[in-house]
Amino acid sequence: RTFVALPHDGFRYILRVLLHGLKKALDDKDNLWTDVHVVRFEEVWNMWRGALLLFFRLEESVLFVNIEGVTTLGDFDVRRRSQLKSRIIVLIQQIDELTPSRAAETPTREQDIRSLHDIAHGFDVLVPSLMLYFEQKEKVAEGKIAEHWQKRAQRDRVDKKTGTELMTAYKEGDPSAADLAILYTHVLNTSSRWKWRHNAVPKAPAAQWEAQVLKRIDMFVKAFGVSEYDIRMRDRKPPVSRGNSKKL
């Protein structure tokens, strides 16, 4: 995958985990939407949405600031990006409000089932909006980066700046910083994943962060009976190395 799409693929992966879990819950509400399942869903949802919101901020302060310092992104300027991301953020907030833990009182079973259907509908609206943003960004930014940052060292410097911002957020108490650091390279093979972390967040307790993220995912997929085949059904390729990128 390319430099730009790398973190997107981590978000896409976790999104498929959530979607498959919701689908299974809708098919078997009595057994797969209990209090335990609600907790598992909210754990992974909170991880994913927190990391995505932080990612939205960091890409503006690092990636876009640097690329727009040497070229323009045409119609995908800061105004267009803000419009797309504002809509996504509103949709995320709407799903947040639907989660059972946000209820003022302990929800009834009927209310729990209603929240499941409402959350699933929320994802039906959120997913196309997020995919549109990712696809537009990849279409515009990948070509510009291939043109202006042809050397790997240039892209590594941007990764390092991203890592610096991640560590600043982490030290300021943002729990999403650790999650984003792991999701950022989740689709890479082990060697490439650790090379990125060594460059971007060399002093971070990355092994501990990864264990925490993987534990949440593992508890979710076991609770909902989601298989790795389900998750990867749309991209059955093995984990990739950034060195295999077609363009970069």
Side-chain angles (χ1 to χ4, degrees):
R1 295 291 290 171
T2 65
F3 176 77
V4 175
L6 174 62
H8 301 172
D9 286 347
F11 288 115
R12 288 178 175 120
Y13 179 90
I14 302 302
L15 190 55
R16 287 196 297 275
V17 170
L18 288 165
L19 288 170
H20 281 290
L22 285 173
K23 181 179 183 300
K24 287 182 177 291
L26 287 166
D27 290 340
D28 188 4
K29 303 176 188 65
D30 290 340
N31 295 309
L32 295 181
W33 197 246
T34 66
D35 289 346
V36 171
H37 294 89
V38 169
V39 169
R40 297 292 172 252
F41 168 79
E42 292 193 15
E43 286 174 345
V44 177
W45 163 252
N46 289 335
M47 175 184 74
W48 181 86
R49 70 113 161 93
L52 181 66
L53 296 179
L54 178 58
F55 174 72
F56 279 167
R57 298 200 301 271
L58 294 192
E59 67 174 2
E60 291 296 336
S61 63
V62 180
L63 175 67
F64 289 121
V65 162
N66 281 273
I67 192 62
E68 290 181 321
V70 296
T71 187
T72 63
L73 297 178
D75 293 338
F76 199 69
D77 58 9
V78 65
R79 180 180 177 183
R80 174 60 174 164
R81 297 194 302 269
S82 296
Q83 289 175 338
L84 292 171
K85 287 193 277 194
S86 293
R87 172 167 171 73
I88 293 166
I89 291 169
V90 167
L91 294 173
I92 287 173
Q93 291 170 340
Q94 290 175 348
I95 293 175
D96 267 342
E97 293 300 320
L98 295 170
T99 54
S101 67
R102 293 294 189 97
E105 300 177 355
T106 302
T108 64
R109 182 58 180 162
E110 183 179 349
Q111 289 170 329
D112 271 347
I113 298 301
R114 171 49 55 192
S115 74
L116 169 61
H117 284 277
D118 290 344
I119 288 169
H121 176 71
F123 272 78
D124 285 341
V125 182
L126 170 64
V127 172
S129 296
L130 181 60
M131 294 306 105
L132 174 65
Y133 175 77
F134 283 166
E135 289 163 9
Q136 288 194 9
K137 177 184 168 186
E138 290 166 11
K139 181 179 179 180
V140 174
E142 285 175 0
K144 296 291 186 178
I145 288 172
E147 178 183 354
H148 294 278
W149 293 345
Q150 295 181 8
K151 296 180 179 180
R152 177 64 178 270
Q154 293 172 300
R155 303 191 298 276
D156 284 346
R157 281 197 293 272
V158 174
D159 281 338
K160 195 168 187 65
K161 290 178 181 179
T162 298
T164 299
E165 294 294 321
L166 277 171
M167 290 306 297
T168 298
Y170 176 70
K171 291 174 182 176
E172 290 176 350
D174 188 341
S176 296
D179 297 333
L180 177 56
I182 301 307
L183 296 186
Y184 207 99
T185 57
H186 187 71
V187 300
L188 292 179
N189 62 36
T190 302
S191 175
S192 293
R193 193 161 60 238
W194 283 101
K195 285 179 182 177
W196 186 92
R197 293 171 188 172
H198 180 73
N199 172 56
V201 287
K203 296 183 179 180
Q208 176 185 339
W209 291 354
E210 184 171 54
Q212 292 169 347
V213 168
L214 294 180
K215 181 179 180 180
R216 292 189 205 110
I217 297 171
D218 183 62
M219 293 175 72
F220 180 98
V221 299
K222 286 181 177 177
F224 286 91
V226 177
S227 69
E228 188 68 15
Y229 176 84
D230 290 334
I231 299 166
R232 296 189 180 275
M233 60 182 291
R234 292 185 60 187
D235 57 340
R236 298 175 191 167
K237 300 174 184 178
V240 296
S241 164
R242 283 179 56 182
N244 293 333
S245 166
K246 293 184 296 182
K247 295 182 180 180
L248 303 180

